Structure formats: structure tokens, C-alpha cells
């Protein structure tokens, strides 16, 4: 049949951040919350799949205030919510301080998706397969939410309450992501996306590590920090097998159309060898 | 007719620009969805949502506003509610039986596409469900059965020092042409208001004509089918477009206005044909020196719910099942099983990739069991000129299996040295294959294809029903005609196949167009030369053409297929010359496996194939590279996940095909041992490149990691399971 029925969707285009927050607030008060639209890369997939999209959308794309170049400020690497993957790839600061975000950005979709997909969108959409999320989780990223009441900051690792559910209130907007620089100093950064083909893949397993801080995607309802493995490493643990046993306690991958839970668990465990600090023979 | 002459070729063998290339790269080419007609509305299909049962009722929600809609169901069919194919089992629109999910039940049309989508949701089908048969391995209903036997199997097995068995499985594969299926139907055709016209994306305009004849009970002059610029087919637009065209025409006749039906990707993936899944068991008798004494093969294909082209797919699978190897005794038994899944159909290679996958993985198994080098084992058994195939065909024309093997080994050493050294598990695999060009057995005689040329004041126009679907048909046929007439390439004009203008040249399938239709055109060109008399130059030709046209008005020469005298085939015994000519090929693949993720990656690939003559070397290389990559996708990634008889990963996000980053360097070498009955020596090239890659890769995975895979796709999940 024909093209998706995009003409049946109501889109609100705010002129400024303030205007956007006003819209969100009044919509929340009316009990008809607006769906946030950044680059649209997730929404379009749903449209093409014939998923009926309800309600109204708040199109944030024009809000240049949310898309400053990444800067270092107050000891953190600061990203506007609408920073695209292409912005991350091109930023000398990101390349210097958080090269695994550049790597992750390069592996998101194709160039067109990298030009439209945003960090704020990836965080807000909350897919457990979101490629930037393990990087941001491993790097202790903070999500800054704005509302009429001002701003509040939530660690990314506490941003998700369950599958695709976040602690963002309907009247709040993600405005920035801040990655503290101190924990990044002199730490080895690792990013591994397992997507079976070399590009344009949705991950089956994704791992990011900043020194002993390790996060996984696609292995549970939300991005996960491997806290038990981290604790073991901090205590000086060196056995790969022991770390793998601990990891098994904290991730719960499932079977879906892309892969199996058994594969995801085994590969996540195998990827711990990439840290370089664990010994396969201990 | 004149055979290959000993003159220097001026157009054939040259890399001339594609006839339609400039239009495609500049965006001028119009695909079906680019076309608009006055008063045109849009059509859509209501499909079943259970795999098997009875339709109790089809109801339109009375609360919904149906104004402006056109509704069609089986009661609107003026002729026979049957898709004309090999047998009469598949309805255009289901009446009361449901044999598979996504089966068309009714059709809707509306001027507004958004309304149309809402209308689809306001139709409710109620069923009486029946337990479906979903697994072809345990299915019991046989759609088609055949067996080929030659020599004494028991005696052959008794001669063997060892009998080696193996069972191999391949899955569905989606053709994944870039342009999805689509048609625009118009009421009326050729001046007859009761006729029907269909424009669209297709491989076989005359298959569509035949389907519409039966559906509407119309004679041929009241039907017009026009192939528009087509974005790929790979077999997926061989038989299915007949259904889309039938549906669009039913709507257009009832609505009285043009109707456009374009499948979205999801619909195209869940509803249209795919490659037949297979399970093939080999039993080979082998002497201690590696000589094959007997081959016994049993194969099952998953036909899906209706027959479609399955008998022919089975036939080609069976004839190619031994691979390019000789043996004194052979038995091949094959069955196509019925399941309550969407019908499977034509796909590049047409069964031969499945059966030769089994053959070539089994050859490596034999080599391993017997402790013989896999290349040496193949050398000892490869067909030689004068050998006899399973169907009793004596291979009189040059068999170049040894030659392509030698050339591939020499070439691959160079390719191999280029690939990077990594920490990953690395290995190399081989596969050899052969592929018959043209329809099987007596098929070409039954088709009796026609094609020809029309004289123009400044050249000639090709009159062929063969379709350009991206593979270069039009360019290659124009080259054959230009060379035959000894005229510059630019003198040959081409048109979109329109059944009001071109004869039935047979379907554009089965690696037949160059060899079969090319030969007909060569002969028509020779006849035109006799009509024109000798000319010395292009200008001289134009003078003679103008003079002849002035005298006769029009000069059109249509010729017909003539069976080469030496070809004999018996359909009863399934013995004889299965194909006029065979392509011979060898693939070598380097594979790396990541020990952490079990992902296999093809890092270098070599394909050497004897295709007789490359009419257009660049296009032929393109066919080989493309077929190879499609084979790599089938081997490593392409996994149609079925649940309750319907594809679950019906989108490009989750049905994984290789990207350019997954494509290895593919070293191609074309060998040209001319076929005496082909145009300038040409055999077919379209299908054979996909026969070998899957086995070469699976053999390379074994070499690299020790993982013995008996099934593809070789997904990391599967490799992990095997490695334990």
C-alpha cells in the first residue's frame, strides 16, 4: 500500500527552548503529553513499520540553542541534547577526551542517520540497543533536564526505570549531557559493538569501558553498568572466569528476532577479555 | 545461420556504455512509482492473518465511512480465479480456504492513501482455524516428486571402500531487489474498452499477459503489458508480478480509473516469494584413492502453500545435485513439500545453489574422512570433456572444470597475499560448480521464443520481450545485433518491452537471455542483411535502409528459437541433454572468525567462471561480483525468521544483507571457451556466480576454526553452538 500517513500527524514547532518548555508544560497539564521529536530517526522507522503514532509531536530540531558544539566547561565535556553523531565524530574535544563516543557514533546507521540522530534522542528513546548509551553510562554521564522549575541533573545510569521508561517527567526536556573529565584521565577506553555485519547494524551486544567502568547494551531492558565486575576489578581481581561468572549475575539478555539470549550472554562474557586486565588462565 | 566468424569483433567484447545507463544515473529513468495517470487512485491488499483454515466471513466495519472506496473480492473475477502457472492451485483472491498467512482475500482502492490505510484496518476476517503444517522436514504432503537414476547404485556402493553420509540445510532467502513490487493498471487496452493494461516492475511481461488472459477471460489483443524501468528482480519478479498485475487490473476495471499498487518493503517481504529452503542428504561411495563410485542424494524443498514454479526449481536442483563430478552410478530423489507458508519461488540459481551447497560441503567432508587434500579430491572426480552427467548427457563441448580450478588457485594466491594478517582465526575454502544455461530439457522447444529487429532509416530497433532488470540485457543484446550487422553500437535502438509492440521472447530467467534470445537475434540480423544486400559502411547501410523502407513501408524480421540438432531430451525418463551448455566455475574464499564474537567475515574471494564469451566484460564481471556477494549474504547473514508461517524480521533493519563494508575484494576471472551454438560463443552468466560462495565460505569456516556447519546461514549464534 501507499506511503505512511504522515499527513495525519500534528507537529508543534517551538521557536525557542523556553517556548518548547511552555508547550510541554501546558500539554502535561492538559493530560495530553507531547512526544518529543529530535532527529526523527526512531520515529521514521516506526512510521514505515506501520506503527500507528498517536498524539502530537514537539519538533525540537530547529532549536539551535540545544546544538552548540561540544565544549569543556566546569570540568565536564558538555553536549547539547541535539548534538548529532556527526557533531561527535567531528569534534576535536570528543576525539581527545571520549574517543569511544566517536567510535560508537561512526557505527550508528549510515551517514544520513549520523547527520540526524542525536545524543538527546538516543537517551530519550531509551532503546537498550542505543549505541551511545553504554559509552555514556561507562563515562558517568549526567543528563540535565530542564522545566519551568529550572534544571535538575540525573546520572544516566539512574535515568531508566525499566524497558524504555525514564525518570523524565512529561513537562521536562533533556537539554544537555555532561561527562565529567576527571574519571576519563589516563583510562583506557574500549568500545565493541557486535552487530554481525560491519555497518548499518543494530547491536546484538555492545560494550563500552572507561578503565574499570564497564557498561553493556542490548543485554537487558536498559543499559547496564557491570557493577559487580567493576567491584571485582577494583579489588584487584584478575581471573577472567570469575569476572564472567559475576557478569552473568548482572545481565539478563533475551531471545529476539536479532539474536539469542545464550549468544548475548556468552559474547558479553567473552568481551571482558578485551579489557586487557583479566587473565584467561586464572 | 552463421556461427562465430573469424573476423575481429568490434562491438562484442567491448565495454560500451549501457543503453539505459545515462537515464538511470541522471534520474530520468521512470520507475513505476514515478508514474502518474489522470484520475489515478491507489490500491491495497487485504491479507489473511492465520496460516491455515476456513474463511467464515469477510466484513467491512459498518461504522466506517466507505465512500470513495472500490472493493474487490473473488466474486468480482470475470474469468478464472487462478494464477496461471504450472498447475492451477493458487487463487488470485482466496474464496473460503486459507493456505498461508498474507494470502490475498480482497482488494481496496481509494484516491487518498491515508484513507486507504484506514480502510484496510476496517476490514475484519473471521476464520475457522486449522492446525498448520509449518515445518517442511516433517510435512507429509508432496507437491512434486522426481527422480533421476543412472547406472547400478548398489553395485557402485559395493565398489566403494567407504560410504560417507551427510545432511545439509539451507534457509529461505529474500531476493531483496531495491525496487519493491509495483504495478499501475488501466482499464482498456489497444483500443478495446473492455481490455486491461498493466505497467510495472517485472521480469516476464508475457507471463503477466498469460495470467491476465485467464483472470479476465480476454484474448491477447485486449491485454497490454508494459515493463517499466525495473530496479532488480533476481527471480523475485518472475512469477509474483502476475499477482500484483491481476489485483491492480481487477481494481482498475471496477473503479474505471487507473490504479497504482506499490508494495511497501514490509509487505513485499512478508507476502512475496523467496528461495526454497532445502534439506539434502548425500550418500557417497568412495574408493580409498578418492574416486567416487556412487552418489545417492535425497532432497526436500519447502514449496510453501502453492506449487508456483517449484517443479522446475526441483528439477534444476536435482540435475545439478552431483556438482561437477562424475560417477558411474547415481540416484537423485527429490520432493517439494507443501507447508502453510507463503509460496517459495524463483530466485537466482533456481535450486542449483541449494543442491551444490550440499555437494561441495560434502566433498570437503569426504576429503576429511579419506585424508585426501580437498583440491586433490576434486581433481580426481571433476567432469572431463566426453563424460556423462546424471541425466546421461554426454559433455561433448569443452568441459573447463580443471581449467577454472587451476586459474582460481593461481589467482587466489595473489589475492590471499593481499589480505591483512590479524589475530583472528583464518582459513580458506573451495567450491566448484557448474550451471546449465537456458530452460531445462525440452523447455526451450516449448517456449518457442521469438525476437527480432525492425529496420529504421538510421539503424535498427530491437524487438524483444526480454527485460532489462539491471543486469544489462538491453546493452548486451544491442551489442550482439550491432556485431551481427557489423554496424556501430549506436545504430541499435532499444525500447521498453511493450506486449503491443514486441514478440514473446520467453521469460527473462534461467541464464537464457544472452544464449537463447541472443542467438535468435543473431539469426534475425543475418536475415536482415540478406534483405538489405551488402553494405560497406554505416552511411552505406543508411542509404540501403532508406531505399528498402521506401519500397516496403516497414521491414520487420522476427525469428524463432530453433533447437540445435544434437540436443535430445526425454521428459518421461528424465534422461538426455538437460541443457545446451554449462558454465564451469571455481570459488575460493578466505574467512576470518572473531574468537570472541564468533562472527565470520569473508576477507578475500576469487571467482573464475567459463561463460563461453563475455559479450560485455564489465557487465559480466558485475554479474559475477553481484552473484558472489548475494551468495556471501546467503552464507553468512540472511536469515528469514519465520513464526507461525510469517516472516518476523520483515524489514531492512533486521533482515541482514551485506553492506559494502562486508564485501571482500572479489577477484574475478572470466574464461572464454566458446559454445558453438551461442552468440559469438556465449553461454549464460546470470545465475552461476551464486552456486559456489556458500559452500566455499562454510568450508573456509571449517578450515579456520574446526566448526563443522551443516547449515546456513552461518550466523555467529550457529557458529557458537557448533564450537561449543
Amino acid at each position: 500500500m501507499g506511503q505512511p500517513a504522515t499527513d495525519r500527524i500534528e507537529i508543534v514547532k517551538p521557536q525557542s527552548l523556553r517556548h518548547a518548555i511552555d508547550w510541554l508544560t501546558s500539554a502535561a497539564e492538559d493530560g495530553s503529553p507531547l512526544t518529543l521529536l529530535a532527529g526523527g530517526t526512531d520515529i521514521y522507522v516506526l512510521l514505515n513499520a506501520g506503527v500507528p503514532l498517536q498524539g502530537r509531536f514537539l519538533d525540537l530540531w530547529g532549536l539551535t540553542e540545544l546544538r552548540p558544539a561540544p565544549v569543556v566547561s566546569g570540568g565536564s565535556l558538555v553536549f547539547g541534547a541535539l548534538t548529532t553523531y556527526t557533531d561527535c565524530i567531528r569534534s576535536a574535544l570528543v576525539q581527545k577526551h571520549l574517543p569511544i563516543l566517536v567510535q560508537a557514533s561512526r557505527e550508528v546507521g549510515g551517514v544520513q542517520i549520523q547527520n540526524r540522530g542525536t545524543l538527546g534522542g538516543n537517551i530519550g528513546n531509551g532503546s537498550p540497543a542505543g549505541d551511545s548509551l553504554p559509552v555514556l553510562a561507562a563515562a558517568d554521564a549526567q543528563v540535565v533536564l530542564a522545566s519551568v522549575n529550572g534544571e535538575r541533573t540525573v546520572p544516566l545510569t539512574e535515568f531508566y526505570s525499566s524497558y524504555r521508561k525514564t525518570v523524565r517527567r512529561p513537562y521536562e526536556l533533556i537539554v544537555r549531557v555532561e561527562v565529567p573529565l576527571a574519571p576519563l584521565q589516563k583510562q583506557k577506553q574500549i568500545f565493541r559493538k557486535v552487530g554481525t555485519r560491519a555497518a548499518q547494524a543494530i547491536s546484538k551486544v555492545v560494550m563500552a569501558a572507561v578503565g574499570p567502568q564497564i557498561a553493556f547494551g542490548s543485554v537487558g531492558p536498559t543499559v547496564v553498568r557491570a557493577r559487580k565486575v567493576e567491584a571485582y576489578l577494583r579489588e584487584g581481581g584478575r581471573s577472567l572466569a570469575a569476572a564472567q561468572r559475576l557478569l552473568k549475575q548482572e545481565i539478563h539478555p533475551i531471545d529476539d528476532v536479532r539474536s539469542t539470549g545464550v549468544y548475548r550472554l556468552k559474547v558479553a562474557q567473552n568481551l571482558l577479555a578485551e579489557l586487557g586486565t583479566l587473565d584467561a588462565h586464572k | 545461420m552463421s556461427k562465430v566468424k573469424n573476423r575481429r569483433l568490434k562491438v562484442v567484447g567491448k565495454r560500451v556504455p549501457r543503453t539505459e545507463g545515462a537515464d538511470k544515473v541522471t534520474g530520468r529513468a521512470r520507475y513505476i512509482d514515478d508514474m502518474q495517470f489522470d484520475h489515478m487512485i491507489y490500491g491495497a491488499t487485504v491479507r489473511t492473518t492465520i496460516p491455515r483454515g476456513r474463511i467464515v466471513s469477510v466484513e467491512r466495519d459498518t461504522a466506517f465511512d466507505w465512500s470513495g472506496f472500490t472493493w474487490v473480492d473473488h466474486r468480482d473475477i470475470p474469468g478464472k480465479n487462478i494464477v496461471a502457472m504450472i498447475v492451477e492451485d493458487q487463487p488470485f483472491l482466496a474464496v473460503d480456504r486459507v493456505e498461508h498467512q498474507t494470502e490475498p482475500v480482497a482488494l481496496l482502492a481509494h484516491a487518498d492513501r491515508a484513507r486507504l490505510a484506514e480502510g484496510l484496518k476496517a476490514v475484519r476476517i473471521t476464520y475457522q482455524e486449522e492446525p498448520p503444517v509449518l515445518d517442511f522436514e516433517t510435512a507429509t504432503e508432496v507437491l512434486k516428486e522426481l527422480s533421476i537414476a543412472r547406472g547400478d547404485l548398489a553395485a557402485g556402493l559395493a565398489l566403494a571402500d567407504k560410504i560417507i553420509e551427510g545432511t545439509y540445510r539451507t534457509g529461505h532467502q529474500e531476493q531483496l531487489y531495491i525496487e519493491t513490487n509495483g504495478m499501475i493498471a488501466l482499464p482498456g487496452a489497444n483500443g478495446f474498452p473492455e481490455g486491461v493494461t498493466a505497467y510495472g516492475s517485472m521480469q516476464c511481461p508475457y507471463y503477466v499477459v498469460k495470467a491476465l488472459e485467464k483472470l479476465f477471460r480476454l484474448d491477447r489483443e485486449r491485454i497490454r503489458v508494459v515493463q517499466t524501468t525495473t530496479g532488480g528482480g533476481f527471480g523475485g519478479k518472475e512469477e509474483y508480478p502476475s499477482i500484483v498485475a491481476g489485483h491492480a487490473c481487477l481494481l482498475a476495471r471496477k473503479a474505471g480509473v487507473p490504479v497504482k499498487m506499490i508494495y511497501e518493503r514490509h509487505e513485499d517481504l512478508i507476502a512475496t516469494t523467496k528461495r526454497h529452503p532445502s534439506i539434502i542428504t548425500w550418500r557417497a561411495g568412495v574408493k580409498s584413492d578418492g574416486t567416487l563410485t556412487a552418489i545417492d542424494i535425497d532432497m526436500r524443498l519447502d514449496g510453501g502453500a502453492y506449487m508456483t514454479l517449484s517443479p522446475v526449481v526441483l528439477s534444476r536442483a536435482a540435475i545439478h545435485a552431483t556438482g561437477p563430478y562424475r560417477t558411474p552410478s547415481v540416484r537423485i530423489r527429490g520432493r517439494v513439500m507443501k507447508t502453510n507458508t507463503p509460496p517459495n519461488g524463483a530466485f537466482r540459481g533456481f535450486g542449483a545453489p541449494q543442491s551444490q551447497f550440499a555437494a561441495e560441503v560434502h566433498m570437503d567432508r569426504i576429503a576429511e574422512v579419506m585424508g585426501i587434500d580437498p583440491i586433490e579430491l576434486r581433481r580426481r572426480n571433476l567432469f572431463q570433456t566426453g563424460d556423462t552427467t546424471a541425466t546421461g548427457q554426454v559433455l561433448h563441448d569443452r568441459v573447463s572444470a580443471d581449467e577454472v580450478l587451476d586459474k582460481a588457485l593461481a589467482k587466489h594466491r595473489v589475492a590471499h597475499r593481499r589480505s591483512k594478517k590479524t589475530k583472528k582465526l583464518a582459513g580458506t575454502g573451495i567450491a566448484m560448480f557448474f550451471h546449465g544455461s537456458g530452460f531445462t530439457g525440452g523447455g526451450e522447444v516449448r517456449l518457442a521464443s521469438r525476437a527480432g529487429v525492425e529496420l529504421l532509416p538510421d539503424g535498427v530497433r530491437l524487438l524483444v520481450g526480454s527485460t532489462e532488470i539491471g543486469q544489462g540485457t538491453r546493452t548486451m543484446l544491442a551489442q550482439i545485433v550491432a556485431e551481427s550487422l557489423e554496424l556501430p553500437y549506436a545504430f541499435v535502438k532499444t525500447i521498453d518491452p511493450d506486449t503491443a509492440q514486441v514478440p514473446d521472447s520467453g521469460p527473462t530467467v534461467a541464464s537464457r537471455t544472452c544464449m537463447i534470445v541472443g542467438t535468435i537475434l543473431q539469426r534475425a540480423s543475418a536475415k536482415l542483411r540478406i534483405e538489405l544486400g551488402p553494405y560497406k559502411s554505416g552511411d552505406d547501410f543508411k542509404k540501403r535502409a532508406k531505399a528498402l523502407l521506401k519500397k516496403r513501408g516497414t521491414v520487420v524480421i522476427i525469428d524463432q528459437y530453433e533447437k540445435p540438432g544434437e540436443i535430445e531430451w526425454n521428459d518421461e525418463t528424465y534422461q538426455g541433454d538437460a541443457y545446451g551448455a554449462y558454465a564451469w566455475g571455481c570459488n575460493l574464499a578466505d574467512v576470518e572468525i572473531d574468537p570472541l564474537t564468533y562472527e565470520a567475515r569473508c576477507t578475500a574471494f576469487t571467482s573464475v567462471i567459463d561463460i563461453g564469451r563475455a559479450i560485455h566484460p564489465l557487465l559480466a564481471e558485475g554479474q559475477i561480483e553481484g552473484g558472489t556477494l548475494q551468495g556471501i549474504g546467503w552464507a553468512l547473514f540472511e536469515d528469514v525468521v519465520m513464526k507461525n508461517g510469517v516472516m518476523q524480521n520483515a524489514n531492512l533493519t533486521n533482515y541482514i544483507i551485506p553492506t559494502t563494508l562486508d564485501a571482500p575484494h572479489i577477484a574475478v576471472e572470466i574464461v572464454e571457451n566458446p559454445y558453438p551454438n551461442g552468440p559469438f560463443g556465449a553461454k549464460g552468466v546470470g545465475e552461476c556466480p551464486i552456486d559456489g560462495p556458500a559452500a566455499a565460505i562454510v568450508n573456509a569456516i571449517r578450515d579456520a576454526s574446526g566448526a563443522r556447519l551443516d547449515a546456513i546461514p552461518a550466523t555467529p549464534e550457529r557458529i557458537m553452538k557448533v564450537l561449543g
Side-chain angles (χ1 to χ4, degrees), chain B residues 616-627:
Chain B
H616 192 300
L618 187 62
L619 290 174
E621 284 162 17
Q623 285 297 298
I624 295 173
E625 287 183 12

Side-chain angles (χ1 to χ4, degrees), chain A residues 1-5 7-8 45 48 192 194-200 202 204 257-260 262-263 266-267 270-271 273-274, chain B residues 44 112-114 117-118 120 262 264 267 594-599 637 641 648-649 652-654 656-657 659 661-662 716-717 720:
Chain A
M1 62 143 284
Q3 293 296 317
D7 53 345
R8 301 296 157 98
V45 172
N48 275 327
R192 272 300 296 267
V194 182
T196 298
R197 71 175 160 195
Q200 307 251 23
I202 295 194
K204 292 176 175 180
V257 76
R258 283 188 277 275
S259 188
T260 64
V262 174
Y263 175 81
K266 180 80 176 148
V267 170
N270 287 350
L271 289 179
E274 296 273 275
Chain B
D112 176 42
R113 289 198 265 195
E118 289 163 8
L120 278 178
I262 308 284
E264 284 293 316
E267 181 174 27
D594 186 320
L596 297 182
T597 66
Y598 316 101
E599 291 168 303
F637 306 121
V641 180
Q648 299 300 300
N649 52 337
L652 299 189
T653 310
N654 293 323
I656 306 282
I657 61 164
T659 67
L661 288 180
D662 301 291
E717 289 81 0
M720 179 185 84

